[in-house]
């Protein structure tokens, strides 16, 4: 009898937690529904500069790095293809429509180690800061993990080529290496 009561209490607590998680995610979805998922894809074919298989981690507001945004197409972690063209970046997440970020919207490109629920080796993530379309042009940060390390340099160089205004990471002290 005592075992049955403990089981019922455990199941009730777990169902309550799942209900709270679902309610929170729906609230986040309502909050972020007005945020656009990138810019319209360019009509003209652009010259591809680099491409890599990536693991998309998250997109957050610039001032709130621990608050995941549920932007349509960018709400969940997924395998993706990041293509850098002379017009901008195309991010194609598995099962989602491609998201386009024009070169003029790119504000920051730097290495990162931590993003919300992901911690990797030093500089294992690529942080791309970009401006959302709209009047306020909020800056968001999208985090990627490039799956093949040999693609990392070519993708970084290609993004820096098209986004000359992107802020470079601060120089690291030799003691940090």
């Amino acid at each position: 009898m005592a075992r049955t009561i403990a089981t019922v209490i455990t199941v009730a607590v777990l169902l309550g937690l799942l209900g709270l998680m679902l309610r929170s995610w729906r609230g986040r979805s309502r909050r972020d529904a007005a945020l656009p998922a990138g810019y319209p894809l360019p009509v003209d074919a652009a010259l591809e500069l680099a491409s890599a298989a990536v693991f998309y981690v998250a997109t957050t507001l610039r001032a709130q790095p621990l608050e995941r945004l549920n932007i349509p197409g960018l709400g969940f972690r997924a395998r993706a293809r990041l293509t850098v063209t002379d017009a901008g970046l195309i991010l194609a997440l598995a099962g989602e429509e491609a998201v386009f970020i024009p070169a003029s919207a790119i504000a920051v490109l730097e290495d990162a180690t931590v993003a919300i629920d992901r911690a990797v080796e030093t500089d294992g993530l690529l942080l791309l800061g970009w401006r959302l379309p709209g009047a306020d042009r909020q800056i968001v940060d999208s985090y990627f993990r490039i799956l093949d390390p040999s693609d990392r340099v070519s993708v970084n160089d290609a993004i820096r080529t098209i986004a000359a205004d992107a802020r470079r990471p601060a120089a690291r002290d030799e003691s940090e290496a």
Side-chain angles (χ1 to χ4, degrees):
M1 178 74 168
R3 200 168 197 181
T4 304
I5 293 173
T7 302
V8 168
I9 291 172
T10 302
V11 168
V13 167
L14 289 175
L15 287 174
L17 288 174
L18 286 173
L20 288 173
M21 289 170 44
L22 181 62
R23 188 184 87 186
S24 296
W25 189 253
R26 284 185 179 165
R28 182 181 311 264
S29 296
R30 280 190 301 275
R31 178 196 72 190
D32 298 340
L35 295 175
Y39 294 75
L41 285 169
V43 177
D44 299 332
L47 175 65
E48 183 177 311
L49 303 175
S51 184
V54 300
F55 187 65
Y56 167 74
V57 178
T59 296
T60 65
L61 288 174
R62 184 57 139 150
Q64 300 171 346
L66 298 177
E67 187 70 29
R68 179 187 306 270
L69 294 175
N70 187 15
I71 297 174
L74 297 176
F76 298 100
R77 290 188 297 167
R79 290 195 179 270
R81 186 96 197 147
L82 180 65
T83 304
V84 183
T85 69
D86 56 357
L89 279 77
I90 299 171
L91 178 63
L93 272 66
E96 298 285 349
E97 294 216 13
V99 173
F100 177 68
I101 303 167
S104 61
I106 299 172
V108 177
L109 178 67
E110 59 189 35
D111 295 324
T113 303
V114 178
I116 299 179
D117 58 353
R118 177 76 45 197
V120 297
E121 73 278 358
T122 302
D123 298 339
L125 295 173
L126 179 67
L127 181 152
L128 178 75
W130 55 285
R131 289 175 195 84
L132 290 173
D136 59 356
R137 307 231 339 130
Q138 272 183 296
I139 295 181
V140 296
D141 294 333
S142 293
Y143 296 87
F144 309 96
R145 182 169 175 82
I146 298 177
L147 299 179
D148 185 353
S150 64
D151 290 335
R152 187 175 185 89
V153 172
S154 63
V155 168
N156 269 323
D157 289 346
I159 294 172
R160 292 212 188 279
T161 298
I162 64 168
D165 295 335
R167 210 173 58 213
R168 297 180 188 274
R172 291 190 356 194
D173 186 355
E174 290 299 317
S175 64
E176 293 179 26

